[in-house]
Every structure is written in C-alpha cells, then in structure tokens.
Amino acid sequence: MTTEVLGGVSGLKVNVDENNNFPVFEAIPGYPTAGGFYTVAGKSGTAAIAAALATDVTLMSARFAVASSRKAYIHKLRVSISTLTPGAAGGVPSVLGMQRYTTTTTPTGGTARTPNQIGPSKGSTSDMFDIRDNNAALTMTGVTFGTEISWCDTTTNGVLVSKYEWIFEPKAPVELSAGDGICLRTRQAGPATATWFFTYTMHWSER
C-alpha cells in the first residue's frame, strides 16, 4: 500500500495502523512568519454593571489594525457571567451580544488590554492593536455596527445569585480584515434591580 502526502516536507514518511487507519494527533500548529496565535483576557471594568443598563451599550471592543496586511480569525470567546444583585422573579434578563463593526476611529474609554502571544518566540506581535472594556459604556465614535454573530442572555432574570459561562466556538473562525472590529454589546435592556459582572477570554490567530 502506498500513502501519498501532499505538501509538507519532501521525503516525509507516514504510517497506518493494522486496520489501515491513518492516525491523527494534535500537534504544535505551524506559525507564520508574520502573525501567530493569541489570547486576551479582561472583565467588565472594576465595578458592577448597573441595573437597567440600556440596549446598545458597548462593554468590550477589539479592533484590528487599519494598516495590517494580514487577517485575524476569532476561534473562541469564553464569557463568565455572574449576578451580583438579584432581579425579580420571572424577570426578562439582560442580553449580551457579539457583533462586528467598522470604524474610522479607535474606541475610547474603559481599561485597555494587551494581547498575549501564545508562542512568544514564534510569529510576531498581534495587529489587534486596541482591546478595551468597561462596566458602563465605551465611546464608539464613528462606528458602523455590522452583523450580529452570537447572543447570550445573562443571569439577571431571577431572584437567585448565580453564575454561568457562555462559550462561542464556531465551526469556522470569524474573519476580520484590516480596520474591522468586534465587540460585546447589550442587546436588551437589563432588569430594574439586577446588577452583574463578566470576565472574558478571546482566542484568535493572524495570518
């Protein structure tokens, strides 16, 4: 039996098991010369998100550099949401959404975050040059909000103090071009009494 390998290293040999199955093992990903694999972690500011926070408030933003010659690919977003002050029984919860945007200016306000380069000796620093978050509202001047990517309700719709995790992990990554941004934004006004808090970790690559 002959096994042909397309691409890769010239003269590379591969093996199969006794049932002619080709085993696949997770390995260190190939790093581009410019780009690589990254994460960033943050939280909704230093205080609680206020009760009855309005719809369309941007709480987290990440913008890809206008001058970048590569693309960014969002592979995963994990958001941990906690209720600090419970709401009313049977209430309608706040809704948090992940949304694209384009802009001519960089968002301002809140706390700036620094990307982590997963392989610090491989690839290059990230072109996701501006990442920030806030518990109230970021200033999004000159922004055109684009398609909705994913929504999640929060733990603000009852009398219990609770916590859960929202994991967005699409089958194909979300692609950002130079100058594009992605944000977490309220999609429904919060209950009159409930306050809450979130942390997040975003995973992406650039090529």
Side-chain angles (χ1 to χ4, degrees):
M1 175 180 179
T2 301
T3 303
E4 182 180 2
V5 179
L6 301 178
V9 180
S10 176
L12 179 68
K13 295 181 179 180
V14 298
N15 198 9
V16 295
D17 64 16
E18 63 275 13
N19 294 317
N20 290 326
N21 293 315
F22 182 71
V24 178
F25 302 95
E26 186 173 354
I28 298 172
Y31 278 76
T33 302
F37 298 83
Y38 312 91
T39 63
V40 70
K43 60 181 181 177
S44 50
T46 58
I49 295 171
L53 186 67
T55 304
D56 300 335
V57 172
T58 302
L59 299 174
M60 174 269 180
S61 166
R63 188 185 183 207
F64 203 46
V66 174
S68 181
S69 60
R70 49 189 191 249
K71 303 270 191 177
Y73 300 93
I74 311 297
H75 298 279
K76 181 186 292 188
L77 177 71
R78 302 181 68 148
V79 182
S80 179
I81 302 170
S82 300
T83 305
L84 302 180
T85 305
V92 176
S94 300
V95 173
L96 193 61
M98 184 181 185
Q99 190 171 4
R100 292 177 179 273
Y101 70 84
T102 57
T103 181
T104 56
T105 58
T106 301
T108 59
T111 302
R113 307 294 178 185
T114 302
N116 162 58
Q117 192 172 343
I118 292 178
S121 62
K122 303 179 181 69
S124 61
T125 56
S126 174
D127 277 354
M128 196 75 74
F129 80 106
D130 188 83
I131 306 172
R132 59 186 62 245
D133 48 58
N134 197 9
N135 69 305
L138 297 174
T139 301
M140 305 292 283
T141 304
V143 166
T144 300
F145 290 100
T147 53
E148 308 272 3
I149 299 170
S150 183
W151 283 13
C152 182
D153 57 343
T154 69
T155 56
T156 55
N157 60 329
V159 296
L160 298 177
V161 175
S162 56
K163 176 178 179 177
Y164 73 91
E165 188 174 44
W166 168 29
I167 302 175
F168 172 74
E169 191 171 10
K171 294 295 185 183
V174 176
E175 181 181 310
L176 299 182
S177 298
D180 288 350
I182 201 163
C183 65
L184 291 176
R185 195 169 178 234
T186 56
R187 310 312 299 128
Q188 182 166 281
T193 57
T195 63
W196 53 291
F197 186 86
F198 72 82
T199 62
Y200 66 89
T201 303
M202 187 170 74
H203 303 249
W204 75 98
S205 63
E206 297 173 20
R207 288 182 179 273

